[in-house]
Amino acid sequence: MAAARIGQSIIRAWRTRFSAGNGRSYTPMINFRAGNNFSSGPRSPEQLMGELRVVLTSKEMQGAQELSNEWFALADKDRSKSIGPDEFRGLMETIGLSLQPAESDALFGVFDPRKSGEISYTEFTNTLRGEMPKFAASLAFMDQYTGHYPSAMASLRRVQPRFDAAETDEWLESLEAVLSHHGPTRARFLIHELMDEAVRKGVPISSSITTPMCNTIPTDAEPKYPGDLAMENRISNLVRWNAAVMVSDGNKRAAGVGGHIGTFASMCDIWEVGMNHFFRGKAYGGGMGDQLYIQGHAAPGAYARAYLEGRLSLDHIMNFRQEVKGGGLSSYPHPRLMPGFWENPTVSMGLGPLQAVCQARFFRYLHLRGLADTSASRVWCFIGDGEMDEPESIYAIARAGYERLNNLIMIVNCNYQRLDGPVRGNSKVIQEFEGVFRGAGYDCIKLIWGDTWNDLVDNDHDGRLIEVLERTPDGDCQRYAAKQDGRLIRAEIFEANGLADRVAHLSDDELLSAFMIPGGHDHKKIYAAFAQAEKNAESGGRPTVILAKTLKGFSLATFQGRNTVHQQKSLKEEEMLSFRDVLNIPLTDEQIKNPKGGDFFRNPGPDSLEVQYMKERRAQLGGFLPSRTPAKTSTLVDLPGPDTYTLFDKGSEKPMSTTMAFAGLLRKLMKLGDFGKRCVPMVTDEARTFGMNAFFHEFKIHAPFGQHYTPVDHDILMKYSEAPDGQILQEGISEAGALCTWIATGTSYSSQGCPMMPFFIYYSMFGFQRVGDIIWQGADARARGFLLGATAGRTTLNGEGLQHQDGHSLLIGLSNPAVIGWDPAFSFEVSYIIEHGINEMWGKDKDLIYYISLYNENHPMPALPSEPDFKENLLKGLYRLRAAKEGMAHTVRLIGSGSIMQQVLRAADLLEEYGVATEIWSATNYGELHREAVRVERQSRLRPHEPKPTCHVEKFLGGWDGVTVIASDNITAYPQLIEKYVGGELIILGTDGFGRSDTREALRRFFEVDAESVTASALSALSRQGKVPADVALGAMEKYGLTEDRPDITMDHEWQA
């Protein structure tokens, strides 16, 4: 085996090294120089090497394998990895290369340049292969031309149609003249202007994706600042101070609670300009204000502002990240923990941007369907430049672009730093992001330079300074900020590039000050960028991004810009004193050194000019933010009556699946007037799989720009129909995007006071397993709605194989406290579970998520059982479907759920052949049975003086000394949640292990959840209890072909196919 692998590596290496032609080939073949054995004199080493390669490659793998087998056979004789000259000659003879003694010595010498007298196998193969070619993609790509015809394709341009060739040549000559006399920066400026003018004139060309590294809005185009700059600077300093001290104080009093100082310090000025002039509160009109998605690590800044506004007390901010006793503040934006304050969770990384995009899209959906006026509601999303590496962030950008979400404004906080070091130390992250956003169709506003440094850029008459700034890597810019040395900046940026005269009028301190106040800390320039973004939102047709250059840890002199800033959790005494002086905070040394009751937090009081100014600005903009004001759905919406859910009560002899039952009920709900309009079916390009293609024509797919093509199925009834007011959300193949849209839908009762009920149906494997983090985000956001895990079951989705077959989503879902997971077996169970969910979420205003497993196996559906209180017990998670027949010698209990209930019912018939009666139970929710049992156990533990209470499972299954068999299409750990509460002998059958493709019958036999396995398990347990002879159980196993041996290629590592 080792020799074969080495032989394969030789062939691959040679074929990669040598090509068939003179040039490089992407499918290289060997073309060694030929040789022969009939030369008149001794062959040269070069000739011999050529012949050796021909011998090996002419036999394909056989030659290489012969050589490697023989080599290691020789080497193993003396336990060596090397061979000598005599062995080498014999080896060459073995593979078909005859050598004279002199020739053998000469060829051996080629492989033994060290003259050691022996050759290792590695030396042999490396020499034979030759020098490795350079990897195609080197760092040279950083300087490559990337236009329509890149350098590797430049020859193509010459043969493209050029229309008037002479005129074309004149334009090209003009470009050459500009380059010769004024340089590339001037040429680039002219081309950008030409392209922009062409676009304005209606010429259908794409604009350049990057522009020079300048502020997008020139100084002379900035609008007049409408506020009191001095006042707002004082407010920013107060907020920045309190945010930093909050984290520091929290960690000093409760070591290890964590928090982040540097992030908000970098975005404070942007946040404050937005709060004072742009962010619309809930009472603004035209919707319920703007939605804010703040960087999670910047949460202390929102608390610090709310403290000044009087919304949070000193006790609140002195209990940052200390929540157990109540009155504390959550680590990040968590509506589940602070339901009246936070509205949008933004941690984990990347989920905030994607959620913001889907929120903006859903606002438009509500407006186009006439359900809510969202015309004045925008979505502002703050993103860290390091967070842009998350795939969700990149997908969010693309989606907002092709959806043309002009109500979305993204702000990328470009402080050049991730948690450990620079984001792009070797390049320019702002330029990179500009290309990404502009390429996706955004209006891009670059906010790079503060006022003084921008003067230098504005006066760059020949573009040389801009060239230098574009060549200076971000890693060096970070170093300049951390070193805080004006002389260093002068030397490396200006003097080293012959630009010393540009800053001769500035002292080193003035130059440093200019560099250390980039655009993201200049209120006037921030305002100009925001004003343009707001204009775009009102009249443009695209989303906007602001790329803001900031400094991480801004104004914190001892660690701003350093790689360690993200880990800074507390301030030393001298750091606080320095920070106070920089921000001009009116606190004495004594108040900082010996604080009493939070003296070092600075709040000038409700009557101060600063606080009055803040409140006046927020009043004009519609109220405080962030703020969450959920509507009381129970008083707004009339819920469907009980008769709505009885359509499956009588059962059906015609086979159907629980997936079809859901589709039938959903269609009925969607036709119920006002309630029906609030139902939002969602799919990820799988509606036909779930039997919902009939919805297309009736309810239409939401398409904001309409349907401007004739669908291929336009001439049939169930055609693919799109419309701006379409009700169905067809999300494309993106579970992550669909889940974020689901969250936007499920939180609409809060964001817009417009309750909407989302029904998202998808392949169950691609829910909790694939996007479980986003479902946690939904729970945190207090979303309400239904998740339908269709094609569920490890043996029910039979042909799809390992990656699709789900048997664990219900168990994973149980880890989320807001998720209620169901595993219905019958259509009436599906109907009553959905009724229960609607009543809980909208009738009782509970922030819950109902997850329902749906199966695609068709079978007859029974009518409602006659058991009293069956519906109440069904909704608790367990009810008796059928009592045992009387008059039989033994009785066992069989518990089924989902599609495996059919195997349980068939097992009951098989057991009758052995004289065993069966009591059939349906377990609709093992998770809730477990949660209720845990609550009862806690109550019992804390009330030892009272009689011990009994949980639901124990009430029905505890007082039993017989046999109980549970079978499900889930892994056994899920039903095992109730194991300790079941009396007697309990057997649990499940689908543990990897899935695979086959028929349902074969899969169920493999996982031992078929009717025969249930039957044999019941008889085996009865025999262990001494109620039937062991021969009866063994006979049943033999009859059904059940054996202990079960080979499994996925886990039996020595098993070969």
Side-chain angles (χ1 to χ4, degrees):
M1 292 295 291
R5 286 194 294 270
I6 294 169
Q8 291 166 357
S9 70
I10 295 173
I11 291 293
R12 284 196 300 270
W14 289 338
R15 283 191 168 168
T16 302
R17 176 67 180 92
F18 297 95
S19 63
N22 293 327
R24 187 180 185 87
S25 171
Y26 288 98
T27 55
M29 295 296 293
I30 298 172
N31 190 24
F32 297 130
R33 184 171 58 252
N36 59 62
N37 293 324
F38 302 102
S39 58
S40 57
R43 291 163 289 180
S44 68
E46 290 78 11
Q47 288 177 305
L48 294 171
M49 286 289 287
E51 291 189 22
L52 174 58
R53 288 165 178 153
V54 170
V55 167
L56 290 171
T57 55
S58 64
K59 296 181 179 182
E60 289 289 321
M61 274 302 303
Q62 184 180 355
Q65 189 153 340
E66 281 180 11
L67 184 146
S68 57
N69 286 337
E70 186 66 22
W71 186 290
F72 284 99
L74 291 169
D76 285 343
K77 288 181 180 179
D78 61 358
R79 307 186 68 81
S80 169
K81 298 298 182 185
S82 302
I83 60 174
D86 293 340
E87 294 166 319
F88 177 78
R89 182 179 179 187
L91 183 64
M92 295 298 101
E93 294 283 350
T94 300
I95 64 172
L97 181 63
S98 297
L99 300 172
Q100 297 298 323
E103 292 176 331
S104 178
D105 291 343
L107 185 58
F108 185 88
V110 173
F111 295 104
D112 183 27
R114 298 179 292 111
K115 308 300 181 184
S116 64
E118 60 181 16
I119 307 170
S120 71
Y121 193 75
T122 300
E123 289 173 332
F124 178 78
T125 56
N126 286 350
T127 303
L128 196 61
R129 180 194 63 206
E131 185 180 347
M132 284 286 284
K134 291 183 178 180
F135 190 66
S138 68
L139 289 180
F141 77 89
M142 296 179 68
D143 300 314
Q144 273 185 355
Y145 166 71
T146 56
H148 186 65
Y149 291 102
S151 54
M153 299 168 59
S155 60
L156 297 181
R157 195 188 78 179
R158 291 194 292 269
V159 297
Q160 290 293 312
R162 302 175 74 194
F163 306 108
D164 187 332
E167 183 183 29
T168 302
D169 287 338
E170 289 176 7
W171 279 88
L172 295 177
E173 288 169 5
S174 298
L175 174 61
E176 184 64 33
V178 172
L179 286 169
S180 298
H181 292 88
H182 302 288
T185 301
R186 176 62 179 166
R188 182 167 60 159
F189 171 80
L190 289 174
I191 292 171
H192 283 162
E193 286 295 302
L194 188 64
M195 293 177 68
D196 287 346
E197 185 63 21
V199 171
R200 284 192 288 271
K201 298 292 187 182
V203 179
I205 62 170
S206 298
S207 60
S208 172
I209 63 170
T210 58
T211 60
M213 198 166 176
C214 307
N215 288 350
T216 301
I217 302 172
T219 301
D220 57 7
E222 293 174 5
K224 183 180 178 181
Y225 198 82
D228 184 334
L229 262 177
M231 175 69 73
E232 291 184 23
N233 275 315
R234 290 203 302 274
I235 293 171
S236 290
N237 288 346
L238 285 170
V239 173
R240 185 181 276 114
W241 168 267
N242 285 330
V245 171
M246 184 189 316
V247 176
S248 177
D249 173 64
N251 281 273
K252 289 177 179 177
R253 291 187 297 104
V257 298
H260 305 277
I261 295 174
T263 299
F264 182 73
S266 71
M267 62 167 282
C268 175
D269 298 295
I270 302 172
W271 174 256
E272 282 301 307
V273 171
M275 279 294 180
N276 287 322
H277 300 285
F278 293 98
F279 301 155
R280 296 169 179 172
K282 300 296 184 184
Y284 185 84
M288 287 182 61
D290 293 343
Q291 290 283 300
L292 303 182
Y293 289 80
I294 182 176
Q295 283 179 262
H297 294 142
Y303 298 143
R305 170 169 258 270
Y307 169 56
L308 296 181
E309 292 167 336
R311 296 198 291 149
L312 295 177
S313 68
L314 181 62
D315 284 342
H316 282 121
I317 65 170
M318 290 188 71
N319 282 284
F320 173 63
R321 293 196 172 201
Q322 299 176 56
E323 303 174 80
V324 171
K325 295 180 180 179
L329 301 178
S330 63
S331 54
Y332 302 121
H334 290 305
R336 184 65 68 164
L337 294 169
M338 297 178 66
F341 189 87
W342 290 118
E343 194 159 24
N344 299 302
T346 53
V347 175
S348 301
M349 291 284 191
L351 300 192
L354 182 53
Q355 185 60 54
V357 169
C358 294
Q359 184 72 77
R361 177 172 175 259
F362 192 72
F363 279 0
R364 186 175 63 187
Y365 171 92
L366 289 175
H367 196 89
L368 292 176
R369 288 196 58 212
L371 295 168
D373 176 10
T374 63
S375 58
S377 289
R378 294 85 54 91
V379 177
W380 302 78
C381 179
F382 290 83
I383 317 171
D385 49 359
E387 189 176 6
M388 287 286 291
D389 286 341
E390 292 284 0
E392 294 90 349
S393 298
I394 299 301
Y395 168 67
I397 294 167
R399 184 164 193 178
Y402 67 69
E403 291 275 1
R404 303 180 205 170
L405 296 173
N406 62 303
N407 59 341
L408 173 71
I409 301 167
M410 287 189 169
I411 303 152
V412 184
N413 180 11
C414 298
N415 58 39
Y416 293 176
Q417 290 184 249
R418 290 197 191 105
L419 279 62
D420 288 334
V423 176
R424 299 284 189 275
N426 286 319
S427 59
K428 306 299 293 182
V429 76
I430 289 179
Q431 298 297 88
E432 174 192 326
F433 292 164
E434 180 187 25
V436 171
F437 279 100
R438 284 170 65 95
Y442 280 65
D443 284 322
C444 185
I445 301 171
K446 291 200 286 193
L447 175 60
I448 307 175
W449 313 117
D451 193 54
T452 304
W453 193 278
N454 197 60
D455 286 343
L456 300 175
V457 175
D458 284 346
N459 291 311
D460 184 26
H461 60 279
D462 55 6
R464 291 172 60 201
L465 175 58
I466 293 175
E467 290 178 11
V468 170
L469 294 174
E470 290 182 343
R471 289 199 310 265
T472 304
D474 288 351
D476 281 336
C477 292
Q478 180 192 346
R479 174 167 57 89
Y480 299 147
K483 295 297 184 183
Q484 300 174 49
D485 184 349
R487 181 73 192 94
L488 177 67
I489 296 171
R490 185 186 303 274
E492 294 196 7
I493 293 181
F494 295 94
E495 293 176 352
N497 295 284
L499 300 174
D501 60 309
R502 306 293 176 93
V503 290
H505 64 292
L506 298 175
S507 68
D508 288 346
D509 287 344
E510 289 171 333
L511 183 59
L512 176 63
S513 176
F515 185 83
M516 297 296 284
I517 305 179
H521 297 292
D522 186 318
H523 283 218
K524 291 189 296 182
K525 297 195 179 300
I526 296 167
Y527 180 86
F530 272 38
Q532 183 61 51
E534 187 172 66
K535 182 179 179 181
N536 294 350
E538 292 171 355
S539 58
R542 306 194 293 182
T544 299
V545 62
I546 299 172
L547 301 176
K549 173 69 184 83
T550 65
L551 294 179
K552 194 161 189 175
F554 179 75
S555 70
L556 294 157
T558 53
F559 53 81
Q560 64 182 350
R562 298 185 183 277
N563 284 338
T564 57
V565 62
H566 192 81
Q567 280 69 41
Q568 294 290 336
K569 312 298 182 186
S570 62
L571 299 170
K572 299 175 183 176
E573 187 177 282
E574 58 271 21
E575 290 173 331
M576 290 187 69
L577 292 170
S578 172
F579 190 32
R580 174 204 62 184
D581 294 341
V582 169
L583 299 181
N584 197 25
I585 302 298
L587 290 173
T588 66
D589 289 3
E590 182 64 22
Q591 286 176 304
I592 291 176
K593 293 178 180 179
N594 299 295
K596 298 178 181 178
D599 274 353
F600 40 50
F601 290 104
R602 180 59 185 161
N603 189 333
D607 298 326
S608 67
L609 294 176
E610 291 85 354
V611 173
Q612 288 297 312
Y613 184 91
M614 295 170 71
K615 290 183 175 180
E616 288 171 7
R617 297 305 308 153
R618 289 313 311 159
Q620 290 180 24
L621 287 166
F624 296 121
L625 288 175
S627 176
R628 183 175 177 274
T629 56
K632 196 171 179 62
T633 306
S634 57
T635 65
L636 293 178
V637 183
D638 291 329
L639 303 186
D643 292 347
T644 306
Y645 305 98
T646 62
L647 68 166
F648 303 119
D649 284 6
K650 295 181 180 180
S652 171
E653 287 299 319
K654 182 179 178 181
M656 67 183 302
S657 67
T658 51
T659 304
M660 293 301 102
F662 161 73
L665 176 62
L666 178 59
R667 182 176 181 273
K668 186 174 182 179
L669 291 171
M670 291 175 70
K671 296 173 74 67
L672 294 178
D674 178 63
F675 179 88
K677 293 178 181 179
R678 298 177 184 275
C679 294
V680 183
M682 300 169 55
V683 292
T684 51
D685 208 31
E686 288 281 2
R688 298 180 194 280
T689 302
F690 309 134
M692 294 174 62
N693 50 310
F695 287 39
F696 292 164
H697 177 65
E698 185 172 9
F699 301 106
K700 294 185 173 53
I701 297 165
H702 176 68
F705 311 112
Q707 189 170 25
H708 301 287
Y709 66 96
T710 302
V712 67
D713 56 1
H714 69 280
D715 52 355
I716 65 174
L717 179 62
M718 294 188 293
K719 62 187 177 184
Y720 197 83
S721 183
E722 300 178 88
D725 61 349
Q727 192 165 353
I728 303 165
L729 285 173
Q730 188 6 310
E731 294 298 291
I733 305 175
S734 171
E735 285 81 8
L739 250 301
C740 285
T741 300
W742 182 90
I743 294 171
T745 309
T747 56
S748 184
Y749 73 97
S750 174
S751 65
Q752 289 293 342
C754 180
M756 303 294 289
M757 183 62 75
F759 293 86
F760 176 29
I761 184 169
Y762 56 89
Y763 265 69
S764 65
M765 190 70 147
F766 304 135
F768 287 96
Q769 174 172 304
R770 184 163 187 168
V771 287
D773 195 15
I774 302 180
I775 298 176
W776 271 91
Q777 183 186 25
D780 191 349
R782 295 180 172 263
R784 303 171 183 173
F786 291 90
L787 297 174
L788 294 308
T791 59
R794 189 146 293 166
T795 69
T796 306
L797 182 62
N798 54 309
E800 293 289 330
L802 183 150
Q803 188 64 24
H804 286 64
Q805 292 172 332
D806 172 35
H808 47 273
S809 284
L810 286 162
L811 187 62
I812 299 174
L814 182 66
S815 67
N816 189 319
V819 172
I820 313 296
W822 302 87
D823 193 21
F826 306 122
S827 53
F828 67 78
E829 292 180 355
V830 173
S831 185
Y832 288 128
I833 288 167
I834 290 177
E835 177 191 27
H836 188 255
I838 290 172
N839 288 335
E840 290 287 291
M841 289 183 271
W842 280 16
K844 299 180 181 178
D845 291 293
K846 293 183 179 180
D847 302 329
L848 300 173
I849 299 169
Y850 269 48
Y851 173 75
I852 305 175
S853 289
L854 298 176
Y855 298 85
N856 65 347
E857 183 175 10
N858 294 321
H859 53 80
M861 293 293 177
L864 298 184
S866 58
E867 293 279 335
D869 302 325
F870 102 90
K871 184 177 177 181
E872 176 186 349
N873 294 329
L874 180 160
L875 298 175
K876 288 183 177 180
L878 179 72
Y879 72 94
R880 189 166 69 173
L881 177 67
R882 193 172 74 193
K885 291 183 179 179
E886 297 182 357
M888 292 192 176
H890 307 290
T891 298
V892 298
R893 283 176 169 165
L894 302 182
I895 303 177
S897 62
S899 60
I900 297 302
M901 176 61 84
Q902 297 303 305
Q903 303 304 309
V904 168
L905 293 173
R906 196 159 67 83
D909 296 335
L910 295 178
L911 283 167
E912 281 193 23
E913 299 174 9
Y914 292 91
V916 178
T918 54
E919 189 177 87
I920 309 296
W921 291 75
S922 177
T924 55
N925 198 322
Y926 289 110
E928 290 308 291
L929 292 173
H930 168 76
R931 285 172 172 166
E932 189 253 356
V934 170
R935 289 193 296 269
V936 168
E937 284 186 338
R938 179 176 183 272
Q939 178 184 338
S940 174
R941 184 172 68 251
L942 298 177
R943 297 181 182 178
H945 56 291
E946 295 181 0
K948 183 178 180 180
T950 303
C951 65
H952 187 74
V953 182
E954 195 171 10
K955 174 184 175 182
F956 286 109
L957 304 181
W960 171 259
D961 60 0
V963 170
T964 300
V965 180
I966 295 176
S968 83
D969 218 357
N970 297 288
I971 60 176
T972 55
Y974 185 57
Q976 277 176 350
L977 293 167
I978 67 167
E979 183 175 18
K980 65 184 290 187
Y981 311 106
V982 179
E985 181 92 8
L986 175 62
I987 306 294
I988 299 177
L989 304 178
T991 52
D992 293 46
F994 287 110
R996 61 211 69 208
S997 300
D998 213 309
T999 64
R1000 287 183 180 133
E1001 292 76 17
L1003 290 171
R1004 286 166 181 168
R1005 172 53 56 89
F1006 176 82
F1007 285 106
E1008 298 172 355
V1009 293
D1010 59 352
E1012 292 77 8
S1013 297
V1014 174
T1015 302
S1017 297
L1019 293 173
S1020 176
L1022 286 172
S1023 72
R1024 287 194 175 278
Q1025 288 189 334
K1027 295 177 180 177
V1028 301
D1031 290 347
V1032 173
L1034 293 171
M1037 294 178 193
E1038 183 178 0
K1039 176 182 176 182
Y1040 299 141
L1042 299 171
T1043 63
E1044 186 175 349
D1045 184 39
R1046 185 173 66 175
D1048 183 354
I1049 191 173
T1050 68
M1051 297 303 293
D1052 296 344
H1053 303 296
E1054 298 303 317
W1055 194 82
Q1056 297 293 320

